[in-house]
Amino acid sequence: AVQTISCSDSSTSGSFRLSFGGVASQDLPHDVSASTMKVVLSTMNVMGKNLSVQVVRLELNGNYQWKITFLSHLDLWSQEPLGILPRSDDYYSIAHLLSTNKESSSGIYPIHYTLWETGMHELTVNSGTSIVSGSSYSVEVTNSSPQASSSSATGNGLKSGIAGEQTSFKIQLRDQREAEVQAIMAKGTLIEFIN
C-alpha cells in the first residue's frame, strides 16, 4: 500500500498537514525529511493504534516527492487514503501545491524485491500468519552475463615479465550487478618478440 505526495513547487516555503482516519498531523514544513514525516505519521493514533509506515523522500526536477508505504491500517487506507490539509493556522500553507496518488488500490499491491544470492528461492506472501492463496513460488536466480566494465584484471603479469620465465595475473569476472561470477588465474610464458 503505497501513496505518493508530490509538490509542484518546492521552492515555495510554507507548511501543510496530513490526515488519516479522521486524525490530522501537526504542521509539516515544505521540505520535511522522510524520517520526520515517518515519526509524525507513526505517532498518529488511528482507531486506538499508531500507524506503521515507511517514508522515502525523492527530489524530481527540483521538487519534493514523498513515497509512503503503509504497513498497518490497510483496510482503512484502501477506503480512506492519506489526505492533505492546509496548515493549522492557514498562514503560509502550501497544501494547494501538493497532490497525492495511490499506487495500490482495489486490493492489488505491487511488490518489488531484489534477490542478491543465486540459486533456488521459495517466495511466499503472507497476510498476518496466513499464506495468501496462490502466492507460493519457486524463483531461480542466476548471474547475468559477465560485463567488462564491472570486471577487473590484476597482477604483475600485466605490468612486466622476463623473457622465457612464467608470469601470471588474475581476471575477476563480474556481471552488471558486480556480483562475482568467477575468478580465473591465467599463467603464460613470455616469449621473445620477433619482428
Side-chain angles (χ1 to χ4, degrees):
V2 179
Q3 191 165 352
T4 303
I5 297 173
S6 302
C7 184
S8 61
D9 183 7
S10 290
S11 65
T12 303
S13 295
S15 302
F16 64 98
R17 291 181 297 156
L18 298 174
S19 66
F20 184 72
V23 178
S25 74
Q26 64 192 55
D27 291 339
L28 300 169
H30 74 286
D31 59 351
V32 61
S33 69
S35 58
T36 299
M37 184 178 281
K38 178 181 177 176
V39 168
V40 168
L41 288 171
S42 296
T43 57
M44 290 174 66
N45 190 305
V46 178
M47 298 177 4
K49 186 177 175 188
N50 287 349
L51 291 177
S52 179
V53 296
Q54 292 178 341
V55 180
V56 174
R57 186 181 82 175
L58 306 168
E59 190 170 339
L60 304 171
N61 300 320
N63 293 317
Y64 295 123
Q65 182 182 79
W66 297 268
K67 284 189 175 271
I68 300 138
T69 304
F70 282 78
L71 304 173
S72 69
H73 297 76
L74 297 180
D75 289 339
L76 178 60
W77 178 82
S78 66
Q79 297 169 19
E80 186 184 334
L82 192 66
I84 300 167
L85 296 173
R87 178 184 160 115
S88 57
D89 61 8
D90 209 26
Y91 187 68
Y92 290 118
S93 177
I94 62 159
H96 65 287
L97 299 174
L98 300 173
S99 62
T100 182
N101 179 40
K102 216 171 134 180
E103 293 185 20
S104 309
S105 61
S106 302
I108 299 172
Y109 303 100
I111 298 172
H112 307 277
Y113 63 96
T114 302
L115 294 172
W116 295 100
E117 298 288 326
T118 58
M120 291 298 292
H121 299 272
E122 295 298 319
L123 174 66
T124 304
V125 179
N126 294 340
S127 176
T129 58
S130 302
I131 296 175
V132 174
S133 176
S135 72
S136 294
Y137 301 94
S138 293
V139 179
E140 183 177 7
V141 179
T142 61
N143 288 314
S144 61
S145 300
Q147 191 172 48
S149 62
S150 299
S151 300
S152 63
T154 58
N156 290 334
L158 294 172
K159 299 174 187 171
S160 64
I162 298 174
E165 291 186 14
Q166 186 174 350
T167 188
S168 66
F169 60 93
K170 288 183 182 179
I171 300 171
Q172 188 168 36
L173 296 177
R174 294 178 180 264
D175 67 10
Q176 66 183 358
R177 297 249 183 235
E178 296 187 2
E180 183 177 346
V181 175
Q182 58 183 323
I184 299 172
M185 174 69 97
K187 292 186 177 186
T189 302
L190 293 177
I191 59 172
E192 186 177 333
F193 177 74
I194 300 174
N195 191 0

